[in-house]
């Protein structure tokens, strides 16, 4: 039997921890012939002195233990952290305990913002890791030794697993079951719970559109606004530099300093964001979307989507289109 300790900081989304526990318990219920004990034993711990975990929804969860009551040198199969908590004191309580406990666990797992606590404990140094897309820049900025990746739903690097936001922890949990007990059990758990064992289109977080904006008003900020209204135009560095009367070299330096992105990267991200928006909100053909957003043809649009999002434009529209278009 594999014992799983789930550490649930206060103030997060409780369905992360309870959903993971339900998935593991479903693994216990299936194919029990010949089993002398359950596959998983789940324990929930909190940093709170009263053992009540307050969820951001207003609902509460009663933990099995206070984290301070648990011996860190006890042998454990898996330690999971769901979220990063609401205070520095709580974060330190978790990370201090985790530094002592990690050597005695087979694997350590984070869900969503829990990656920040793994990083703070030093467990992510030199490792690939992910977290919720809103926290990717924070993770990289505060912990430069972590190899942060923004795309995957979850990442395994040796004994350490990290996942993206919220429900991606369920994808990770199915992957843990598959690693522990094989494909068939993981597939059957997914089917019983009406989940994807592996989501179509690859394992990818879909962040909202995030375009680097100039730090202050001025020529660069004005140019960014113009770019968004003229995505089908020639947006080469030379043309953009000419638009605000700069040399290409000086323009690239100033634009990168003001926005944190090169002109080419900004244009590429702006075009992709606009294409995503049109696929979500309009019934335009793929060719119309491609032309309007500066990709030129549906073939180029498809290539970019497959490279950046691991989906075709048609598959993206099917998954994210506005319901009124159905």
């Amino acid at each position: 039997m594999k014992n799983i300790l789930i550490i649930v900081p206060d103030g997060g989304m409780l369905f992360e921890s309870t959903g993971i526990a339900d998935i593991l318990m479903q693994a216990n219920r299936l194919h029990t012939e010949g089993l002398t004990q359950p596959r998983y034993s789940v324990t929930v711990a909190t940093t709170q002195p009263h053992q009540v975990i307050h969820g951001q929804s207003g609902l509460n969860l009663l933990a099995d233990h206070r984290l301070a009551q648990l011996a860190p040198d006890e042998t454990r199969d898996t330690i999971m952290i769901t979220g990063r908590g609401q205070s520095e004191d709580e974060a330190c309580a978790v990370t201090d305990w985790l530094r002592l406990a990690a050597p005695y666990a087979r694997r350590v797992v984070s869900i969503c913002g829990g990656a920040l606590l793994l990083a703070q404990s030093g467990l992510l140094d030199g490792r690939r890791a992910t977290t919720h897309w809103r926290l990717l820049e924070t993770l990289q900025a505060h912990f430069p030794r972590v190899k942060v990746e923004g795309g995957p739903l979850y990442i395994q690097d040796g004994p350490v697993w990290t996942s993206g936001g919220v429900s991606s922890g369920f994808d990770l949990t199915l992957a843990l079951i598959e690693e522990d007990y094989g494909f068939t059990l993981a597939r059957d758990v997914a089917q019983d719970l009406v989940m994807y064992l592996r989501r179509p289109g690859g394992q990818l977080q879909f962040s909202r559109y995030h375009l680097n904006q100039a730090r202050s008003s001025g020529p660069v900020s004005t140019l960014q606004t113009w770019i968004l209204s003229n995505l089908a135009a020639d947006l080469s560095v030379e043309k953009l530099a000419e638009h605000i009367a700069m040399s290409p070299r000086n323009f690239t330096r100033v634009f990168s300093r003001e926005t944190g992105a090169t002109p080419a990267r900004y244009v590429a991200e702006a075009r992709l964001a606009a294409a995503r928006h049109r696929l979500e909100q309009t019934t335009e053909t793929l060719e119309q979307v491609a032309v309007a957003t500066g990709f030129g043809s549906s073939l180029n649009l498809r290539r970019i989507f497959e490279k950046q999002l691991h989906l075709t434009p048609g598959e993206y529209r099917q998954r994210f289109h506005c319901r009124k278009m159905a």
Side-chain angles (χ1 to χ4, degrees), residues 20 23 78 80 107-112 130 153-156 160-164 167-179 195 197 199 203:
I20 288 169
I23 292 170
T78 304
M80 286 189 179
R107 61 191 172 199
V108 179
V109 175
S110 69
I111 312 299
C112 196
T130 192
L153 288 173
Y154 61 84
I155 290 175
Q156 177 190 7
V160 180
W161 298 61
T162 54
S163 70
S167 65
S168 60
F170 301 163
D171 299 84
L172 183 151
T173 303
L174 289 172
L176 297 182
I177 294 172
E178 183 173 1
E179 181 184 63
M195 299 171 61
L197 179 56
R199 299 194 204 189
Q203 298 165 349

Side-chain angles (χ1 to χ4, degrees), residues 185-198:
L185 179 62
R187 179 202 62 199
D188 290 353
V189 170
Q191 290 178 345
D192 271 20
L193 297 178
V194 197
M195 299 171 61
Y196 285 114
L197 179 56
R198 296 181 182 84

Side-chain angles (χ1 to χ4, degrees), residues 22 33 69 73 76 95 111 129 141 150 165 173 178 197 203 206 229 258 295:
D22 280 337
E33 305 84 9
Q69 296 174 326
D73 58 354
R76 295 178 176 87
T95 54
I111 312 299
T173 303
E178 183 173 1
L197 179 56
Q203 298 165 349
F206 287 91
S229 300
E258 288 292 310
F295 289 106

Side-chain angles (χ1 to χ4, degrees), residues 7 9 16 79-85 91 94-95 98-99 108-125 127-140 142-149 152-155 160-166 168-169 172 205:
I7 302 171
E16 293 175 337
I79 299 172
M80 286 189 179
I81 302 176
T82 62
R84 57 174 171 163
V94 174
T95 54
L98 190 58
R99 288 189 190 98
V108 179
V109 175
S110 69
I111 312 299
C112 196
L116 292 169
L117 300 188
L118 292 193
Q120 187 174 328
S121 71
L123 291 175
L124 295 184
D125 286 354
R127 296 187 185 276
R128 298 169 56 237
T130 192
T131 185
H132 190 285
W133 59 267
R134 290 187 184 276
L135 299 174
L136 291 168
E137 292 184 3
T138 300
L139 178 61
Q140 190 66 86
H142 287 81
F143 305 100
R145 297 183 64 183
V146 181
K147 301 173 183 177
V148 179
E149 297 184 18
L153 288 173
Y154 61 84
I155 290 175
V160 180
W161 298 61
T162 54
S163 70
V166 194
S168 60
L172 183 151
Q205 289 194 72

Side-chain angles (χ1 to χ4, degrees), residues 31-47:
H31 310 305
T32 58
E33 305 84 9
L35 292 180
T36 58
Q37 57 183 355
R39 294 182 176 91
Y40 293 104
S41 170
V42 176
T43 300
V44 174
T46 177
T47 57

Side-chain angles (χ1 to χ4, degrees), residues 48-289:
Q48 301 305 302
H50 37 57
Q51 293 185 215
V52 176
I53 304 166
H54 303 95
Q56 68 176 41
S57 63
L59 298 177
N60 299 322
L61 175 66
L62 183 62
D64 299 297
H65 300 283
R66 293 173 52 233
L67 186 62
Q69 296 174 326
L70 299 177
D73 58 354
E74 180 181 333
T75 300
R76 295 178 176 87
D77 182 84
T78 304
I79 299 172
M80 286 189 179
I81 302 176
T82 62
R84 57 174 171 163
Q86 295 185 303
S87 70
E88 185 60 29
D89 287 344
E90 185 175 26
C92 289
V94 174
T95 54
D96 290 346
W97 187 90
L98 190 58
R99 288 189 190 98
L100 299 174
Y104 299 94
R106 182 170 70 93
R107 61 191 172 199
V108 179
V109 175
S110 69
I111 312 299
C112 196
L116 292 169
L117 300 188
L118 292 193
Q120 187 174 328
S121 71
L123 291 175
L124 295 184
D125 286 354
R127 296 187 185 276
R128 298 169 56 237
T130 192
T131 185
H132 190 285
W133 59 267
R134 290 187 184 276
L135 299 174
L136 291 168
E137 292 184 3
T138 300
L139 178 61
Q140 190 66 86
H142 287 81
F143 305 100
R145 297 183 64 183
V146 181
K147 301 173 183 177
V148 179
E149 297 184 18
L153 288 173
Y154 61 84
I155 290 175
Q156 177 190 7
D157 190 328
V160 180
W161 298 61
T162 54
S163 70
V166 194
S167 65
S168 60
F170 301 163
D171 299 84
L172 183 151
T173 303
L174 289 172
L176 297 182
I177 294 172
E178 183 173 1
E179 181 184 63
D180 294 342
Y181 295 106
F183 167 79
T184 299
L185 179 62
R187 179 202 62 199
D188 290 353
V189 170
Q191 290 178 345
D192 271 20
L193 297 178
V194 197
M195 299 171 61
Y196 285 114
L197 179 56
R198 296 181 182 84
R199 299 194 204 189
Q203 298 165 349
L204 191 75
Q205 289 194 72
F206 287 91
S207 64
R208 296 311 300 154
Y209 324 129
H210 176 72
L211 300 176
N212 296 62
Q213 299 301 310
R215 296 185 177 91
S216 59
S217 60
V220 171
S221 177
T222 301
L223 178 65
Q224 287 183 300
T225 301
W226 182 86
I227 289 172
L228 296 179
S229 300
N230 295 273
L231 292 173
D234 180 355
L235 300 180
S236 63
V237 170
E238 291 74 18
K239 289 295 183 180
L240 293 176
E242 181 182 324
H243 194 79
I244 56 174
M246 287 185 178
S247 68
R249 182 175 181 180
N250 188 47
F251 166 69
T252 298
R253 180 181 61 81
V254 171
F255 190 97
S256 300
R257 183 190 66 209
E258 288 292 310
T259 68
T262 65
R265 176 184 166 190
Y266 179 83
V267 169
E269 291 180 349
R271 283 173 166 161
L272 181 60
R276 289 173 63 181
H277 176 78
R278 286 175 179 266
L279 290 171
E280 293 169 2
Q281 301 291 335
T282 77
T283 58
E284 294 173 337
T285 67
L286 298 186
E287 197 69 28
Q288 289 172 324
V289 171

